[in-house]
Amino acid sequence: MRKLLFLFSTILLHSTTKTQAQTAAAAAAPPPAGPPNITAVLEKAGQFSTLLRLMKSTQIADQINNQLNNSNTGITVFAPADNAFSGLPAGTLNSLSDQQKVALIQFHIVPSLITAQQFQTVSNPVRTQAGDTDNGQFPLNVTSAGGQVNITTGVVNTTVSNTIYADSELAVYQVDRVLLPEEIFDPAAAAAAPAPGPASAKSKKKKGAGDGPTTSPSKEADASSGFRINRVEMGRWVGFLVAGSFISLNLLL
């Protein structure tokens, strides 16, 4: 009986110890990794309170997070720090409509992942979520030289100063200035820029090797007029010849 009681106690103790070990291991294991969260990334980096406020008020933060959950192309964000927004003229943000604020923040977002190495081969103009560059809307030009990444909007020129976050889905780069698009801050220049498109159907046809010489309408008129004059002169001479022949015939008779 004692042996059975000892054996039962041993089994019960082993089972309890194993259960406690499994519970402790489960508690220590990190939660499964999920898509990155732009809000969490910027909050952890610090110094991006103005950008975060604009992203939340325009609901663009939720839009980015949804794209990260449902897209395979990734996202690139150019993030101006608070001191970049402080460098804007007083009242700049307050003067914008809600729609313009949305476009301004979307202008800082590229709907594809651009790694640090890809800055050297990126094709310009870079398409942002603010508009379609195929129609000449919101063009953003990014170049890389000597390890420095330069960004031009047509209104401001700035550089990428730091990589805030980078993985296979999201890249966040700090920029020294707020990216101001021409469509909002210099609409006259944006309207004057030629939009890409097919060549006009009214373009002149090039003269081929088989094409004959062309004559202007005025020259054609002059030639026609000269021909009419020659016909009149010829008629007069024929008249004189006929009259002269008639007189000579009468004299001979």
Side-chain angles (χ1 to χ4, degrees), residues 21-239:
Q22 291 175 342
T23 303
N37 183 291
I38 186 61
T39 304
V41 168
L42 292 177
E43 286 177 346
K44 183 178 180 179
Q47 301 180 354
F48 294 95
S49 58
T50 304
L51 179 61
L52 276 168
R53 175 172 57 83
L54 289 170
M55 280 189 167
K56 291 178 180 179
S57 64
T58 57
Q59 299 183 346
I60 291 179
D62 294 335
Q63 176 186 345
I64 293 175
N65 291 330
N66 288 334
Q67 287 180 257
L68 292 171
N69 280 314
N70 302 301
S71 175
N72 296 323
T73 60
I75 287 180
T76 301
V77 177
F78 295 111
D82 292 335
N83 58 358
F85 281 99
S86 299
L88 294 174
T92 297
L93 295 179
N94 293 333
S95 66
L96 301 179
S97 65
D98 291 341
Q99 184 177 2
Q100 288 174 327
K101 289 178 182 178
V102 169
L104 174 63
I105 301 305
Q106 287 180 329
F107 192 56
H108 291 74
I109 303 168
V110 178
S112 60
L113 183 68
I114 304 177
T115 65
Q117 293 75 19
Q118 289 174 330
F119 279 128
Q120 300 179 5
T121 57
V122 68
S123 298
N124 287 307
V126 176
R127 178 179 178 270
T128 69
Q129 288 193 332
D132 187 358
T133 55
D134 290 341
N135 296 324
Q137 297 177 335
F138 291 90
L140 188 68
N141 290 283
V142 180
T143 58
S144 178
Q148 178 175 288
V149 178
N150 303 303
I151 301 178
T152 303
T153 72
V155 177
V156 299
N157 300 321
T158 187
T159 58
V160 172
S161 58
N162 190 22
T163 300
I164 303 301
Y165 181 89
D167 64 12
S168 60
E169 299 178 76
L170 174 66
V172 183
Y173 302 101
Q174 181 177 344
V175 290
D176 294 332
R177 299 180 65 183
V178 180
L179 305 182
L180 304 179
E182 283 186 339
E183 279 76 2
I184 298 176
F185 295 91
D186 193 1
S200 172
K202 296 181 179 181
S203 60
K204 294 183 179 179
K205 179 183 177 183
K206 291 184 178 180
K207 184 178 177 181
D211 294 338
T214 58
T215 305
S216 65
S218 60
K219 291 183 178 180
E220 289 180 356
D222 292 343
S224 176
S225 176
F227 179 69
R228 288 196 299 268
I229 293 173
N230 291 336
R231 285 172 56 184
V232 172
E233 294 295 331
M234 184 179 297
R236 290 178 181 176
W237 281 106
V238 170

